[in-house]
Amino acid sequence: KRKFVVMNYWIVGAMFGGVDDALESFIERGYWYCWNKKVPTGEESKGPNSIERQIEKFKEISIGDKIAVKKIHSVPEQKMEVRALGIVKDIDFEEWRVYVDWKVQFKHLERIVDLHGWSASIHGPYQYSDTRIHKVFCL
């Protein structure tokens, strides 16, 4: 009997501290991660982008999930730029890395969509029924 698996969608960032852009490295190395495991969790602030929250969200990612890398484009207009799309192919919980088969990278084509409050390093899981993700993932 076949087991039905729900594919989830994730919106993630590639900017550390709002300035250190890691997208090129992520694409070249075929992975994504959102925090440096060498930084003790107690040293980070609480809230939507705390390491504790990122770890909890990270644990929910599954192989086959779709991932979109975003960058906040403009705060007053609440817009973000979609920078890359991929499919999760493996997860390393020791290194806290998600290995990704990057399918699309928007280098020279600005893809601006609504931010929907996705300003932290990781947001999800979302399902296809959530129409907010349709423009992000070209659905």
Coordinates of all heavy atoms in Angstrom, one line a residue, residues 16-97:
F16 N 22.6 36.9 6.5 CA 23.0 36.8 7.9 C 23.2 38.2 8.5 O 24.1 38.9 8.0 CB 24.2 35.9 8.2 CG 23.9 34.5 7.7 CD1 24.5 34.0 6.6 CD2 23.1 33.7 8.4 CE1 24.2 32.7 6.1 CE2 22.8 32.4 8.0 CZ 23.4 31.9 6.9
G17 N 22.4 38.6 9.5 CA 22.5 39.9 10.0 C 22.1 41.0 9.1 O 22.4 42.1 9.2
G18 N 21.3 40.6 8.1 CA 20.8 41.6 7.1 C 21.8 42.1 6.1 O 21.5 42.8 5.2
V19 N 23.1 41.6 6.2 CA 24.1 42.1 5.3 C 24.9 41.0 4.6 O 25.4 41.3 3.5 CB 25.0 43.1 6.0 CG1 24.3 44.4 6.4 CG2 25.7 42.5 7.2
D20 N 25.1 39.9 5.2 CA 26.0 38.9 4.7 C 25.2 37.9 3.8 O 24.6 37.0 4.3 CB 26.7 38.1 5.9 CG 27.7 37.1 5.4 OD1 28.1 37.2 4.2 OD2 28.1 36.3 6.2
D21 N 25.3 38.2 2.5 CA 24.6 37.4 1.5 C 25.2 36.1 1.2 O 26.3 36.0 0.6 CB 24.4 38.2 0.2 CG 23.4 37.6 -0.7 OD1 23.0 36.5 -0.6 OD2 23.1 38.3 -1.7
A22 N 24.6 35.0 1.6 CA 25.2 33.6 1.4 C 24.6 32.9 0.2 O 25.0 31.7 0.0 CB 25.0 32.8 2.7
L23 N 23.8 33.5 -0.6 CA 23.1 32.7 -1.6 C 24.0 32.1 -2.6 O 23.9 30.9 -2.9 CB 22.1 33.6 -2.4 CG 21.3 32.9 -3.5 CD1 20.4 31.8 -2.9 CD2 20.5 33.9 -4.3
E24 N 25.0 32.8 -3.1 CA 26.0 32.2 -4.1 C 26.6 30.9 -3.5 O 26.7 29.9 -4.2 CB 27.0 33.2 -4.5 CG 26.5 34.3 -5.4 CD 25.9 33.7 -6.7 OE1 26.5 32.8 -7.3 OE2 24.8 34.3 -7.1
S25 N 27.0 31.0 -2.2 CA 27.6 29.8 -1.6 C 26.6 28.7 -1.5 O 27.0 27.5 -1.7 CB 28.1 30.2 -0.2 OG 28.6 29.1 0.5
F26 N 25.4 29.0 -1.1 CA 24.3 28.0 -1.0 C 24.2 27.3 -2.4 O 24.1 26.0 -2.4 CB 23.0 28.6 -0.6 CG 23.0 29.0 0.9 CD1 21.9 29.8 1.3 CD2 23.9 28.7 1.8 CE1 21.8 30.3 2.6 CE2 23.9 29.2 3.1 CZ 22.8 29.9 3.5
I27 N 24.1 28.0 -3.4 CA 23.9 27.5 -4.8 C 25.1 26.6 -5.2 O 24.9 25.5 -5.6 CB 23.6 28.6 -5.8 CG1 22.4 29.4 -5.5 CG2 23.6 28.0 -7.2 CD1 21.1 28.7 -5.6
E28 N 26.3 27.1 -5.0 CA 27.5 26.4 -5.4 C 27.6 25.1 -4.6 O 28.0 24.1 -5.2 CB 28.7 27.2 -5.1 CG 28.9 28.3 -6.1 CD 30.1 29.2 -5.7 OE1 31.0 28.8 -4.9 OE2 30.2 30.3 -6.3
R29 N 27.3 25.1 -3.3 CA 27.5 23.9 -2.5 C 26.3 23.0 -2.4 O 26.4 22.0 -1.8 CB 27.9 24.4 -1.1 CG 29.3 25.1 -1.2 CD 29.7 25.6 0.1 NE 31.0 26.2 0.0 CZ 31.6 27.0 0.9 NH1 30.9 27.2 2.0 NH2 32.8 27.5 0.7
G30 N 25.1 23.5 -2.9 CA 24.0 22.6 -2.9 C 23.3 22.4 -1.6 O 22.7 21.4 -1.3
Y31 N 23.3 23.5 -0.8 CA 22.6 23.4 0.5 C 22.0 24.7 0.9 O 22.2 25.7 0.3 CB 23.5 22.8 1.6 CG 24.8 23.6 1.9 CD1 24.7 24.9 2.5 CD2 26.0 23.1 1.7 CE1 25.8 25.6 2.8 CE2 27.2 23.8 2.1 CZ 27.1 25.1 2.6 OH 28.2 25.8 2.9
W32 N 21.3 24.7 2.1 CA 20.9 25.9 2.7 C 21.0 25.6 4.2 O 20.7 24.5 4.7 CB 19.4 26.2 2.4 CG 18.8 27.3 3.2 CD1 19.0 28.6 3.0 CD2 18.1 27.2 4.4 NE1 18.4 29.4 4.0 CE2 17.8 28.5 4.8 CE3 17.6 26.1 5.1 CZ2 17.1 28.7 6.0 CZ3 16.8 26.4 6.2 CH2 16.6 27.7 6.7
Y33 N 21.3 26.7 5.0 CA 21.2 26.7 6.4 C 20.9 28.1 6.9 O 21.1 29.0 6.2 CB 22.5 26.1 7.1 CG 23.7 26.9 7.0 CD1 24.0 27.9 7.9 CD2 24.6 26.8 5.9 CE1 25.1 28.7 7.8 CE2 25.7 27.5 5.8 CZ 26.0 28.5 6.8 OH 27.1 29.3 6.7
C34 N 20.4 28.2 8.1 CA 20.0 29.5 8.6 C 20.6 30.0 9.8 O 20.4 31.1 10.3 CB 18.4 29.5 8.8 SG 17.8 28.4 10.0
W35 N 21.5 29.2 10.4 CA 22.2 29.6 11.6 C 23.5 28.9 11.8 O 23.7 27.8 11.3 CB 21.4 29.5 12.9 CG 21.1 28.1 13.3 CD1 20.1 27.3 12.8 CD2 21.7 27.4 14.3 NE1 20.1 26.1 13.4 CE2 21.1 26.1 14.4 CE3 22.7 27.6 15.2 CZ2 21.4 25.1 15.2 CZ3 23.1 26.6 16.1 CH2 22.4 25.4 16.1
N36 N 24.4 29.5 12.4 CA 25.8 29.0 12.7 C 25.7 28.2 14.0 O 25.5 28.7 15.1 CB 26.8 30.1 12.8 CG 28.2 29.6 12.9 OD1 28.4 28.4 13.2 ND2 29.2 30.4 12.7
K37 N 25.9 26.9 13.9 CA 25.7 26.0 15.1 C 26.8 26.3 16.1 O 26.8 25.8 17.2 CB 25.7 24.6 14.7 CG 27.0 24.0 14.3 CD 26.8 22.5 14.0 CE 28.2 21.8 14.0 NZ 28.1 20.4 14.2
K38 N 27.9 27.0 15.7 CA 28.9 27.4 16.7 C 28.5 28.5 17.6 O 29.2 28.7 18.6 CB 30.2 27.7 15.9 CG 30.8 26.6 15.1 CD 31.9 27.0 14.3 CE 32.4 25.8 13.4 NZ 33.1 26.2 12.3
V39 N 27.4 29.2 17.3 CA 27.0 30.3 18.2 C 26.0 29.6 19.2 O 25.0 29.0 18.8 CB 26.2 31.3 17.4 CG1 25.6 32.4 18.3 CG2 27.1 32.0 16.4
P40 N 26.3 29.7 20.5 CA 25.4 29.1 21.5 C 24.0 29.7 21.4 O 23.9 30.9 21.2 CB 26.1 29.5 22.8 CG 27.5 29.7 22.5 CD 27.5 30.3 21.1
T41 N 23.0 28.9 21.6 CA 21.6 29.4 21.4 C 21.3 30.5 22.4 O 20.4 31.3 22.1 CB 20.6 28.3 21.6 OG1 20.8 27.6 22.8 CG2 20.8 27.3 20.4
G42 N 21.9 30.5 23.6 CA 21.6 31.5 24.6 C 22.0 32.9 24.2 O 21.6 33.9 24.8
E43 N 22.9 33.0 23.2 CA 23.5 34.3 22.8 C 22.6 35.1 21.8 O 22.8 36.2 21.4 CB 24.9 34.2 22.2 CG 25.9 33.7 23.2 CD 27.3 33.6 22.7 OE1 27.6 34.1 21.6 OE2 28.1 32.9 23.3
E44 N 21.6 34.4 21.3 CA 20.7 35.0 20.3 C 19.4 35.6 21.0 O 19.0 35.1 22.0 CB 20.2 34.0 19.2 CG 21.3 33.6 18.3 CD 21.7 34.7 17.4 OE1 20.9 35.4 16.8 OE2 22.9 35.0 17.2
S45 N 18.9 36.6 20.3 CA 17.7 37.2 20.9 C 16.5 36.3 20.7 O 16.5 35.4 19.9 CB 17.4 38.5 20.1 OG 17.1 38.2 18.8
K46 N 15.5 36.5 21.5 CA 14.2 35.8 21.4 C 13.4 36.4 20.3 O 13.7 37.4 19.8 CB 13.5 35.8 22.7 CG 14.2 35.3 23.9 CD 14.4 33.8 23.8 CE 15.2 33.3 25.0 NZ 15.8 32.0 24.8
G47 N 12.4 35.7 19.9 CA 11.5 36.2 18.9 C 11.4 35.4 17.6 O 11.9 34.2 17.6
P48 N 10.9 35.9 16.6 CA 10.6 35.2 15.3 C 11.9 34.7 14.6 O 11.8 33.8 13.9 CB 9.8 36.1 14.4 CG 10.1 37.5 15.0 CD 10.4 37.3 16.4
N49 N 13.0 35.3 14.9 CA 14.3 34.9 14.3 C 15.3 34.3 15.3 O 16.4 34.2 15.0 CB 14.9 36.0 13.5 CG 15.5 35.5 12.2 OD1 15.1 34.5 11.6 ND2 16.5 36.2 11.8
S50 N 14.8 33.9 16.4 CA 15.7 33.3 17.4 C 16.2 31.9 16.9 O 15.5 31.3 16.1 CB 15.0 33.1 18.8 OG 14.0 32.1 18.7
I51 N 17.3 31.5 17.4 CA 17.9 30.2 17.0 C 16.9 29.1 17.5 O 16.7 28.1 16.7 CB 19.3 30.0 17.6 CG1 20.3 31.0 16.8 CG2 19.7 28.6 17.5 CD1 21.7 30.9 17.3
E52 N 16.3 29.2 18.6 CA 15.4 28.2 19.1 C 14.3 28.0 18.1 O 13.9 26.9 17.8 CB 14.9 28.6 20.5 CG 15.9 28.5 21.6 CD 16.7 29.8 21.8 OE1 16.5 30.7 21.0 OE2 17.6 29.8 22.7
R53 N 13.7 29.1 17.6 CA 12.6 29.0 16.7 C 13.1 28.4 15.4 O 12.4 27.6 14.8 CB 12.0 30.4 16.4 CG 10.8 30.3 15.5 CD 10.3 31.7 15.0 NE 9.4 31.6 13.9 CZ 9.7 31.4 12.7 NH1 10.9 31.3 12.3 NH2 8.7 31.3 11.7
Q54 N 14.3 28.8 14.9 CA 14.8 28.3 13.7 C 15.0 26.8 13.8 O 14.7 26.0 12.8 CB 16.1 29.0 13.3 CG 15.9 30.4 12.9 CD 17.3 31.1 12.7 OE1 18.2 30.5 12.1 NE2 17.4 32.3 13.2
I55 N 15.5 26.3 14.9 CA 15.8 24.9 15.1 C 14.5 24.1 15.1 O 14.4 23.1 14.4 CB 16.5 24.6 16.4 CG1 18.0 25.1 16.4 CG2 16.5 23.2 16.8 CD1 18.7 25.1 17.7
E56 N 13.4 24.6 15.8 CA 12.1 23.9 15.8 C 11.6 23.9 14.3 O 11.0 22.8 13.9 CB 11.2 24.6 16.7 CG 11.5 24.5 18.2 CD 11.7 23.0 18.6 OE1 10.8 22.2 18.3 OE2 12.7 22.7 19.2
K57 N 11.6 24.9 13.6 CA 11.1 24.9 12.2 C 12.0 24.0 11.3 O 11.4 23.2 10.5 CB 11.2 26.3 11.6 CG 10.1 27.3 12.1 CD 8.8 26.8 11.7 CE 7.7 27.7 12.1 NZ 6.3 27.1 11.7
F58 N 13.3 24.0 11.5 CA 14.2 23.2 10.7 C 13.8 21.7 10.9 O 13.8 20.9 9.9 CB 15.6 23.4 11.2 CG 16.7 22.7 10.3 CD1 17.3 23.4 9.3 CD2 17.0 21.4 10.6 CE1 18.2 22.7 8.5 CE2 17.9 20.7 9.8 CZ 18.6 21.4 8.8
K59 N 13.5 21.3 12.1 CA 13.1 19.9 12.3 C 11.9 19.4 11.6 O 11.7 18.2 11.4 CB 12.9 19.7 13.8 CG 14.1 19.8 14.7 CD 13.8 19.7 16.1 CE 15.0 19.8 17.0 NZ 14.7 19.8 18.5
E60 N 11.1 20.4 11.1 CA 9.9 20.0 10.3 C 10.1 19.8 8.8 O 9.2 19.3 8.1 CB 8.8 21.1 10.5 CG 8.4 21.2 12.0 CD 7.3 22.3 12.1 OE1 6.3 22.2 11.4 OE2 7.5 23.2 12.9
I61 N 11.3 20.2 8.3 CA 11.6 20.1 6.9 C 11.8 18.6 6.5 O 12.4 17.8 7.3 CB 12.8 20.9 6.5 CG1 12.6 22.4 6.8 CG2 13.2 20.7 5.0 CD1 13.8 23.2 6.6
S62 N 11.2 18.2 5.4 CA 11.3 16.8 4.9 C 11.9 16.7 3.5 O 11.8 17.7 2.7 CB 9.9 16.2 4.9 OG 9.4 16.1 6.2
I63 N 12.5 15.6 3.2 CA 13.0 15.4 1.8 C 11.8 15.5 0.9 O 10.7 14.9 1.2 CB 13.7 14.0 1.8 CG1 14.9 14.0 2.6 CG2 13.9 13.6 0.3 CD1 15.6 12.7 2.8
G64 N 12.0 16.2 -0.2 CA 10.9 16.4 -1.2 C 10.2 17.7 -1.0 O 9.5 18.1 -1.9
D65 N 10.4 18.4 0.1 CA 9.8 19.7 0.3 C 10.4 20.7 -0.7 O 11.5 20.5 -1.1 CB 10.0 20.2 1.7 CG 9.1 19.5 2.7 OD1 8.2 18.7 2.3 OD2 9.2 19.8 3.9
K66 N 9.6 21.7 -1.0 CA 10.1 22.8 -1.9 C 10.6 24.0 -1.0 O 10.0 24.2 0.0 CB 9.1 23.2 -2.9 CG 8.8 22.1 -3.9 CD 7.9 22.6 -5.0 CE 7.8 21.4 -6.0 NZ 7.1 21.9 -7.2
I67 N 11.6 24.6 -1.5 CA 12.2 25.7 -0.7 C 12.4 26.9 -1.6 O 12.9 26.7 -2.8 CB 13.5 25.2 0.0 CG1 14.1 26.2 0.9 CG2 14.6 24.8 -1.1 CD1 15.2 25.6 1.8
A68 N 12.1 28.1 -1.1 CA 12.3 29.3 -1.9 C 13.2 30.2 -1.0 O 12.9 30.5 0.2 CB 11.0 30.0 -2.2
V69 N 14.3 30.8 -1.6 CA 15.1 31.7 -0.9 C 14.6 33.1 -1.3 O 14.4 33.5 -2.4 CB 16.6 31.6 -1.3 CG1 17.4 32.6 -0.6 CG2 17.1 30.2 -1.0
K70 N 14.4 33.9 -0.2 CA 13.9 35.3 -0.4 C 14.9 36.3 0.1 O 15.8 36.0 0.9 CB 12.5 35.5 0.2 CG 12.5 35.1 1.7 CD 12.8 36.2 2.6 CE 12.8 35.8 4.1 NZ 13.6 36.5 5.0
K71 N 14.7 37.5 -0.3 CA 15.4 38.7 0.3 C 14.4 39.8 0.4 O 13.6 40.1 -0.6 CB 16.5 39.1 -0.6 CG 17.3 40.3 -0.1 CD 18.4 40.6 -1.1 CE 19.2 41.8 -0.7 NZ 20.2 42.2 -1.7
I72 N 14.3 40.4 1.5 CA 13.4 41.6 1.7 C 13.8 42.6 0.7 O 14.9 43.1 0.6 CB 13.4 42.1 3.1 CG1 12.8 41.0 4.1 CG2 12.5 43.3 3.2 CD1 12.9 41.3 5.5
H73 N 12.8 43.1 -0.1 CA 13.1 44.1 -1.2 C 12.7 45.5 -0.7 O 13.5 46.4 -0.9 CB 12.2 43.7 -2.4 CG 12.5 44.5 -3.6 ND1 11.7 45.6 -3.9 CD2 13.5 44.5 -4.5 CE1 12.2 46.2 -5.0 NE2 13.3 45.5 -5.4
S74 N 11.6 45.6 0.0 CA 11.2 46.9 0.5 C 10.3 46.7 1.7 O 9.3 46.0 1.6 CB 10.6 47.8 -0.6 OG 9.4 47.1 -1.1
V75 N 10.6 47.4 2.8 CA 9.8 47.2 4.0 C 8.5 48.0 3.9 O 7.4 47.5 4.1 CB 10.6 47.6 5.2 CG1 9.7 47.5 6.5 CG2 11.8 46.6 5.4
P76 N 8.5 49.3 3.5 CA 7.2 50.0 3.5 C 6.2 49.4 2.6 O 5.0 49.4 2.9 CB 7.6 51.5 3.1 CG 9.1 51.6 3.2 CD 9.6 50.2 3.2
E77 N 6.6 48.9 1.4 CA 5.7 48.3 0.5 C 5.4 46.8 0.8 O 4.6 46.2 0.1 CB 6.2 48.5 -1.0 CG 6.3 49.9 -1.4 CD 7.6 50.6 -1.0 OE1 8.5 49.9 -0.5 OE2 7.6 51.9 -1.0
Q78 N 6.2 46.3 1.8 CA 6.0 44.9 2.2 C 6.2 43.9 1.0 O 5.3 43.1 0.6 CB 4.6 44.7 2.8 CG 4.5 45.4 4.2 CD 5.4 44.8 5.2 OE1 5.3 43.6 5.6 NE2 6.4 45.5 5.7
K79 N 7.3 44.0 0.3 CA 7.7 43.2 -0.8 C 9.0 42.4 -0.6 O 9.8 42.8 0.2 CB 7.9 44.1 -2.1 CG 6.6 44.9 -2.5 CD 5.6 44.0 -3.0 CE 4.3 44.8 -3.5 NZ 3.3 43.9 -3.9
M80 N 9.1 41.3 -1.2 CA 10.3 40.5 -1.2 C 10.7 40.1 -2.6 O 9.9 40.0 -3.5 CB 10.2 39.3 -0.2 CG 9.3 38.2 -0.8 SD 9.2 36.9 0.4 CE 8.5 35.6 -0.6
E81 N 12.0 39.8 -2.7 CA 12.5 39.2 -4.0 C 12.7 37.7 -3.8 O 13.3 37.3 -2.9 CB 13.8 39.9 -4.3 CG 14.5 39.4 -5.5 CD 15.9 40.1 -5.7 OE1 16.2 41.1 -5.0 OE2 16.6 39.6 -6.6
V82 N 12.1 37.0 -4.8 CA 12.4 35.5 -4.8 C 13.7 35.3 -5.6 O 13.8 35.7 -6.7 CB 11.2 34.8 -5.5 CG1 11.5 33.3 -5.5 CG2 9.9 35.1 -4.8
R83 N 14.7 34.7 -4.9 CA 16.0 34.6 -5.5 C 16.4 33.2 -6.0 O 17.2 33.1 -6.9 CB 17.0 35.0 -4.4 CG 16.7 36.4 -3.9 CD 17.6 36.9 -2.9 NE 18.9 37.2 -3.4 CZ 20.0 37.1 -2.7 NH1 20.0 36.8 -1.5 NH2 21.2 37.4 -3.3
A84 N 15.8 32.1 -5.4 CA 16.1 30.8 -5.9 C 15.0 29.8 -5.4 O 14.4 30.0 -4.4 CB 17.4 30.3 -5.3
L85 N 14.8 28.8 -6.2 CA 13.8 27.7 -5.9 C 14.5 26.4 -6.0 O 15.3 26.1 -6.9 CB 12.6 27.7 -6.9 CG 11.8 29.0 -7.0 CD1 10.8 28.9 -8.1 CD2 11.1 29.3 -5.6
G86 N 14.1 25.5 -5.1 CA 14.7 24.1 -5.1 C 13.9 23.1 -4.4 O 12.9 23.4 -3.8
I87 N 14.4 21.9 -4.4 CA 13.7 20.8 -3.8 C 14.7 20.1 -2.8 O 15.8 19.9 -3.1 CB 13.2 19.7 -4.8 CG1 12.2 20.4 -5.8 CG2 12.6 18.5 -4.1 CD1 11.9 19.5 -6.9
V88 N 14.2 19.9 -1.6 CA 15.1 19.3 -0.5 C 15.4 17.9 -0.9 O 14.5 17.1 -1.2 CB 14.4 19.3 0.9 CG1 15.2 18.6 1.9 CG2 14.1 20.8 1.3
K89 N 16.7 17.5 -0.9 CA 17.1 16.1 -1.3 C 17.7 15.4 -0.1 O 17.8 14.2 -0.1 CB 18.0 16.1 -2.5 CG 19.3 16.8 -2.3 CD 20.1 16.8 -3.6 CE 21.4 17.4 -3.4 NZ 22.2 17.4 -4.7
D90 N 18.1 16.1 0.9 CA 18.7 15.4 2.1 C 18.7 16.5 3.2 O 18.8 17.7 3.0 CB 20.1 14.9 1.8 CG 20.5 13.8 2.8 OD1 19.7 13.4 3.7 OD2 21.7 13.4 2.7
I91 N 18.8 15.9 4.5 CA 18.8 16.8 5.6 C 19.9 16.3 6.6 O 19.9 15.1 6.9 CB 17.5 16.8 6.4 CG1 16.4 17.3 5.4 CG2 17.5 17.7 7.6 CD1 15.0 17.0 5.8
D92 N 20.8 17.2 7.1 CA 21.8 16.8 8.0 C 21.5 17.5 9.3 O 21.8 18.7 9.5 CB 23.2 17.2 7.4 CG 24.3 16.8 8.3 OD1 24.1 16.6 9.6 OD2 25.5 16.7 7.8
F93 N 21.0 16.8 10.3 CA 20.6 17.4 11.6 C 21.8 17.7 12.5 O 21.7 18.4 13.4 CB 19.6 16.5 12.3 CG 18.2 16.5 11.6 CD1 17.8 15.5 10.8 CD2 17.4 17.6 11.8 CE1 16.6 15.5 10.2 CE2 16.1 17.7 11.2 CZ 15.7 16.6 10.4
E94 N 22.9 17.0 12.2 CA 24.2 17.3 13.0 C 24.7 18.7 12.6 O 25.2 19.5 13.4 CB 25.2 16.2 12.8 CG 24.9 15.0 13.6 CD 26.1 14.1 13.6 OE1 27.3 14.5 13.6 OE2 25.8 12.8 13.6
E95 N 24.8 18.9 11.3 CA 25.3 20.2 10.7 C 24.2 21.2 10.5 O 24.5 22.4 10.2 CB 26.0 20.0 9.4 CG 27.3 19.2 9.5 CD 28.4 20.0 10.3 OE1 28.5 21.2 10.1 OE2 29.1 19.3 11.1
W96 N 22.9 20.8 10.7 CA 21.8 21.7 10.5 C 21.8 22.3 9.1 O 21.6 23.5 8.9 CB 21.7 22.8 11.6 CG 21.5 22.2 12.9 CD1 22.5 22.0 13.9 CD2 20.3 21.7 13.4 NE1 21.9 21.4 15.0 CE2 20.6 21.2 14.7 CE3 19.0 21.6 13.0 CZ2 19.6 20.6 15.5 CZ3 18.1 21.0 13.8 CH2 18.4 20.5 15.0
R97 N 22.0 21.4 8.1 CA 22.0 21.8 6.7 C 20.9 21.1 6.0 O 20.7 19.9 6.2 CB 23.3 21.6 6.0 CG 24.5 22.4 6.5 CD 25.7 22.1 5.8 NE 26.9 22.6 6.5 CZ 27.4 23.8 6.3 NH1 26.8 24.6 5.5 NH2 28.4 24.2 7.0

